[in-house]
């Protein structure tokens, strides 16, 4: 039988590149499309000699000329608060035009489709933990809206293609995921804390550090994504780790794992920063028999070498 051919938009990004690895591991042929706005060639360097892998450097807001595919994974988008603040218009474009182009491709080829959505759809949630049936509490004009509303719109387009064009779609709601290949300067909390601890700098905790997040190690997230891709669920599914930590607890864990002498320094809380976030994963447990296996401390240990090397490379590069 001919192997399945999958397109991963955002395939040179942190999660996209890990997904390419998993799909190749499953015997698929993989095309990664990425305009390298926040993705990096170094994330897919190890795949360049694999004859089953192709890289298309293109903006996925333009028609995708990749030939026939059996599966489209739409993962392209800036994803960290710092990146989407810097590229607000591009974030709105990829969530709208990019989603249309990816869905058109799936429709033309009768391909299955998965949209990478986010816990940001829940905004600063009033329901805790967040179930998929909660509609969210999002500021539509605040600084995070370029991402939150792009993803909410993207979910709406995906459901419309399912309803009007019978495209076989899935919507994945990703909660804070971390691990090797994260950009060390993307401003997210795990890379910030890891790099600060490894450099012996103070860890910048925003606000009083009482806000919570639930951190999922990348291998667990990818396992959930692959399982969801094989299911026939069309409504959104949360994939994340349900163990919740305050940001202060996260900072202390990073200091312990790195063995650093760094101290904690409180800084102002960014506008609209969600106060708490924790997925209810009952649906993923029931439908996909999935749950994360790696706790935060183990995941930070598994990520340590990557961050150590990345910091060394960055700090020894000529300025
Ligand atoms: N945060 C922090 N210090 C940092 C970076 C982030 O205290 O150096 C906080 C941020 O205010 C938020 C949480 O950590 O409450 C997670 O931030 P991140 O940017 O990783 O992602 P978010 O979940 O907000 O999209």
């Amino acid at each position: 039988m001919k192997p399945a051919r999958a397109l991963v938009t955002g395939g040179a990004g942190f999660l996209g590149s890990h997904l390419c690895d998993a799909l190749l591991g499953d015997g698929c042929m993989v095309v990664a499309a990425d305009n390298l706005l926040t993705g990096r060639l170094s994330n897919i360097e190890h795949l360049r000699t694999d004859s089953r892998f192709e890289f298309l450097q293109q903006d996925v807001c333009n028609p995708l000329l990749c030939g026939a595919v059996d599966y489209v994974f739409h993962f392209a988008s800036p994803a960290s608060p710092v990146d989407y603040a810097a590229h607000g218009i591009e974030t709105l474009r990829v969530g709208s035009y990019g989603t249309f182009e990816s869905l058109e491709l799936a429709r033309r080829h009768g391909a299955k489709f998965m949209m990478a959505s986010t816990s940001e759809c829940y905004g600063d949630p009033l329901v805790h933990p967040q179930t998929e049936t909660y509609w969210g509490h999002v500021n539509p004009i605040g600084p995070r809206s370029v991402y939150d509303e792009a993803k909410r719109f993207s979910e709406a387009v995906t459901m419309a293609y399912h309803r009007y064009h019978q495209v076989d779609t899935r919507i994945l709601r990703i909660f804070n995921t971390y691990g090797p290949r994260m950009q060390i300067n993307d401003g997210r909390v795990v890379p910030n804390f890891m790099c600060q601890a490894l450099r012996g700098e103070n860890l910048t905790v925003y606000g009083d550090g009482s806000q919570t997040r639930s951190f999922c190690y990348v291998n667990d997230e990818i396992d959930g994504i692959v399982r969801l891709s094989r299911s026939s669920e069309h409504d959104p599914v949360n994939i994340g780790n349900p163990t919740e930590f305050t940001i202060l607890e996260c900072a202390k864990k990073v200091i312990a794992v790195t063995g650093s002498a760094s101290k904690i320094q409180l800084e102002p809380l960014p506008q609209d920063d969600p106060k708490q976030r924790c997925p209810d994963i009952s649906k993923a447990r029931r439908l996909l028999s999935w749950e994360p296996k790696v706790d935060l401390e183990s995941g930070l240990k598994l990520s340590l070498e990557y961050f150590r090397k990345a910091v060394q490379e960055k700090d020894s590069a000529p300025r």
Side-chain angles (χ1 to χ4, degrees):
M1 212 173 71
K2 227 173 112 213
R5 189 161 184 264
L7 170 73
V8 181
T9 78
F14 160 54
L15 259 189
S17 64
H18 281 283
L19 179 59
C20 291
D21 287 347
L23 295 171
L24 288 161
D26 261 6
C28 295
M29 295 169 71
V30 175
V31 184
D34 203 303
N35 65 354
L36 303 179
L37 180 67
T38 56
R40 289 177 303 159
L41 287 177
S42 56
N43 288 340
I44 49 169
E45 194 53 48
H46 61 293
L47 302 177
R48 296 303 278 270
T49 52
D50 190 327
S51 59
R52 298 166 308 144
F53 179 76
E54 287 166 64
F55 176 63
L56 265 184
Q57 185 171 341
Q58 85 149 85
D59 184 340
V60 303
C61 295
N62 299 322
L64 286 152
L65 305 171
C66 63
V69 286
D70 305 292
Y71 217 119
V72 178
F73 292 88
H74 183 37
F75 276 59
S77 178
S80 83
V82 166
D83 283 344
Y84 58 71
H87 305 290
I89 304 289
E90 291 88 341
T91 304
L92 284 160
R93 283 176 58 83
V94 76
S96 51
Y97 298 109
T99 305
F100 274 111
E101 289 299 339
S102 315
L103 277 158
E104 271 303 314
L105 182 79
R107 187 176 72 84
R108 276 201 307 277
H109 295 292
K112 295 177 195 291
F113 181 88
M114 177 185 283
M115 185 237 148
S117 186
T118 165
S119 57
E120 297 293 332
C121 285
Y122 303 120
D124 190 3
L126 304 178
V127 165
H128 198 72
Q130 293 81 57
T131 52
E132 291 87 348
T133 49
Y134 176 50
W135 292 351
H137 179 233
V138 173
N139 176 355
I141 56 165
R144 296 174 83 101
S145 65
V146 290
Y147 186 63
D148 301 10
E149 297 294 12
K151 289 293 185 180
R152 287 163 67 96
F153 180 79
S154 199
E155 288 198 6
V157 184
T158 302
M159 282 314 288
Y161 267 69
H162 175 63
R163 292 197 180 106
Y164 297 106
H165 294 310
Q166 292 75 49
V167 176
D168 188 359
T169 58
R170 284 142 202 85
I171 296 174
L172 151 78
R173 289 197 182 140
I174 302 167
F175 283 65
N176 296 68
T177 301
Y178 68 98
R181 296 190 202 159
M182 290 186 97
Q183 289 222 52
I184 61 170
N185 59 352
D186 81 357
R188 283 192 268 202
V189 67
V190 170
N192 267 16
F193 285 176
M194 288 295 259
C195 295
Q196 289 163 341
L198 289 166
R199 289 177 172 135
E201 298 168 354
N202 290 342
L203 271 62
T204 53
V205 168
Y206 301 157
D208 62 5
S210 64
Q211 71 274 31
T212 69
R213 293 295 186 273
S214 310
F215 299 99
C216 191
Y217 186 62
V218 62
N219 291 13
D220 280 336
E221 186 69 35
I222 293 290
D223 178 34
I225 293 171
V226 169
R227 285 173 193 243
L228 180 61
S229 74
R230 293 180 184 140
S231 84
S232 52
E233 175 64 19
H234 303 301
D235 288 343
V237 180
N238 291 338
I239 300 287
N241 190 313
T243 312
E244 196 177 352
F245 291 90
T246 67
I247 293 304
L248 206 52
E249 287 169 336
C250 173
K252 287 179 183 160
K253 281 232 179 291
V254 169
I255 289 175
V257 163
T258 51
S260 169
S262 295
K263 300 276 174 286
I264 284 165
Q265 174 182 321
L266 301 184
E267 300 222 332
L269 189 68
Q271 190 194 329
D272 292 343
D273 197 280
K275 280 181 270 313
Q276 49 182 14
R277 186 174 295 143
C278 177
D280 181 318
I281 60 163
S282 316
K283 189 171 178 183
R285 280 198 175 105
R286 182 167 36 83
L287 278 183
L288 315 174
S289 305
W290 174 84
E291 64 182 342
K293 297 188 179 70
V294 182
D295 63 27
L296 181 56
E297 192 173 322
S298 312
L300 290 174
K301 284 183 183 154
L302 289 167
S303 310
L304 188 57
E305 257 332 288
Y306 165 77
F307 283 112
R308 203 189 292 282
K309 211 164 149 243
V311 166
Q312 265 165 12
E313 273 167 20
K314 175 98 183 151
D315 293 352
S316 61
R319 281 163 211 268

